[in-house]
Amino acid sequence: MKITDVQNITVIGAGQMGHQIAMLCALGGFETMLQDIDEAALDKAEKGLHSLMERWVAKGKISEDQKDAAFQRLTFASRFAESVEKADLVIEAVVEKLDVKRKIFADLEIHTPDHTIFATNSSTIVNSMLAEVTKRPDKVVNMHFFFPPLVMDCVEVVMSENTSEETAQLAMDVCEKINRKGILLKKEISGFVANRILGALQKEAMNLYEQGIADFRDIDLICKKALNHPIGPFELMDLSGIDVGYYVMEQRYKETGDPEDRPFACMEEKVKKGHLGRKTGKGWYDYEKNMVNK
């Protein structure tokens, strides 16, 4: 299959990643369906995208006509089977839990055409762990977008030993059409490139914090002032979601059994309290005043 054969894309999961990936696909000219079993999540995604695209129009990033055309190509659906029955490419963007993703891929095998390519947006789970529940491992690939997808110009396209060159090239071509820089990795490794480097930084930051070497605010400040990072590691965890990082570490620990990969106690405490960062109003920092003011 070639890029000219890709007409319909379905994105599974309307969370903070999925709804923006779907918008990118619609802006790129694809007939796009955003699927989530949670109607409230779909409603929130639709309202959020309309608000964001209105701001893009106001800033001159896109025209009113481009915005309207994109929304004409974008539909929202709660029924799984119907949302994927005509898909040429499915991009899974659900919670970073292996069992949840495997269930989705097994269901995709049942409800999609034989030619459909399966991509996972997982930030750490290699696609071979999902491909084994399908009958088409050659058509399974990672397309790891970065948060927020409508801003970040990078997608890690990762092949397994079974991913075909045709599938990888198709994923790269989709990236080009949606105006994102695809970078092809021909060998699997948990966490890929960006998150292995970022994870090492965040792991050391939390280690320093838990040892009492420095407060998290000071660690963020040092990273910004001394290393010239735009935001500190704790601020970044709040931005992307503390639960996301927690599940990534939890999955890595399950795979390796290495105690150093176990999620930190400070992360676990935040997740149990529901203090997940900006999306909940509180994480390492408190955003509730800003949310009220908005």
Side-chain angles (χ1 to χ4, degrees):
M1 189 163 63
K2 297 180 180 180
I3 187 64
T4 51
D5 300 316
V6 180
Q7 303 296 321
N8 300 293
I9 295 179
T10 298
V11 179
I12 306 294
Q16 60 180 3
M17 294 295 292
H19 77 289
Q20 291 201 13
I21 294 171
M23 193 73 239
L24 279 174
C25 294
L27 288 167
F30 297 104
E31 294 296 324
T32 307
M33 189 169 291
L34 178 61
Q35 188 276 335
D36 199 298
I37 58 174
D38 186 348
E39 293 277 5
L42 289 172
D43 184 59
K44 181 180 179 182
E46 186 171 8
K47 289 178 179 176
L49 287 173
H50 274 284
S51 177
L52 181 55
M53 291 301 103
E54 287 290 353
R55 293 199 296 272
W56 275 28
V57 171
K59 292 178 179 178
K61 289 186 175 183
I62 59 174
S63 68
E64 187 78 30
D65 288 344
Q66 286 174 313
K67 182 205 74 174
D68 292 343
F71 277 109
Q72 286 178 1
R73 290 189 288 266
L74 179 60
T75 55
F76 301 81
S78 59
R79 294 183 179 180
F80 182 87
E82 293 178 8
S83 73
V84 300
E85 62 184 4
K86 296 180 181 179
D88 301 305
L89 169 66
V90 176
I91 303 174
E92 167 271 312
V94 302
V95 65
E96 197 74 355
K97 292 187 176 181
L98 180 61
D99 58 339
V100 176
K101 292 179 184 292
R102 284 170 67 92
K103 175 64 166 64
I104 287 173
F105 272 63
D107 289 343
L108 286 175
E109 182 62 43
I110 296 170
H111 296 293
T112 57
D114 292 340
H115 73 270
T116 306
I117 301 297
F118 298 166
T120 174
N121 178 55
S122 176
S123 60
T124 187
I125 298 171
V126 294
N127 71 76
S128 59
M129 297 180 74
L130 305 175
E132 62 188 25
V133 301
T134 78
K135 297 177 181 177
R136 60 185 88 183
D138 60 311
K139 293 183 173 66
V140 182
V141 67
N142 284 84
M143 291 181 70
H144 175 220
F145 292 77
F146 292 84
F147 182 78
L150 282 165
V151 175
M152 300 297 286
D153 181 22
C154 185
V155 181
E156 289 176 320
V157 176
V158 189
M159 301 174 66
S160 73
E161 290 184 356
N162 294 316
T163 305
S164 70
E165 293 285 347
E166 180 182 290
T167 295
Q169 186 58 54
L170 183 72
M172 292 290 286
D173 291 342
V174 168
C175 290
E176 183 177 359
K177 193 165 181 182
I178 64 175
N179 197 31
R180 285 296 173 268
K181 179 61 179 177
I183 300 172
L184 181 61
L185 306 179
K186 293 197 171 187
K187 187 174 182 179
E188 287 186 319
I189 186 170
S190 178
F192 319 130
V193 173
N195 275 356
R196 289 185 75 87
I197 295 171
L198 177 61
L201 174 68
Q202 290 185 335
K203 185 182 289 187
E204 186 58 30
M206 286 184 286
N207 186 38
L208 291 167
Y209 170 72
E210 287 200 342
Q211 287 186 65
I213 303 299
D215 183 73
F216 69 86
R217 297 176 185 84
D218 290 332
I219 295 171
D220 277 351
L221 187 60
I222 289 168
C223 287
K224 290 186 288 186
K225 295 292 187 181
L227 304 180
N228 203 29
H229 291 187
I231 61 175
F234 293 93
E235 290 174 307
L236 183 55
M237 280 187 267
D238 274 0
L239 179 63
S240 58
I242 295 172
D243 55 329
V244 175
Y246 177 83
Y247 292 137
V248 165
M249 292 193 73
E250 188 177 52
Q251 177 60 36
R252 178 98 38 99
Y253 177 59
K254 287 178 181 177
E255 292 177 23
T256 67
D258 185 345
E260 291 192 3
D261 290 331
R262 190 196 300 267
F264 283 82
C266 58
M267 293 180 74
E268 187 171 8
E269 181 183 1
K270 297 287 185 189
V271 171
K272 285 182 177 179
K273 289 182 177 179
H275 297 166
L276 309 180
R278 289 179 178 270
K279 62 186 175 184
T280 60
K282 186 178 291 185
W284 291 103
Y285 295 87
D286 191 337
Y287 306 93
E288 289 181 339
K289 282 187 177 180
N290 291 336
M291 292 176 76
V292 171
N293 291 337
K294 287 179 182 178

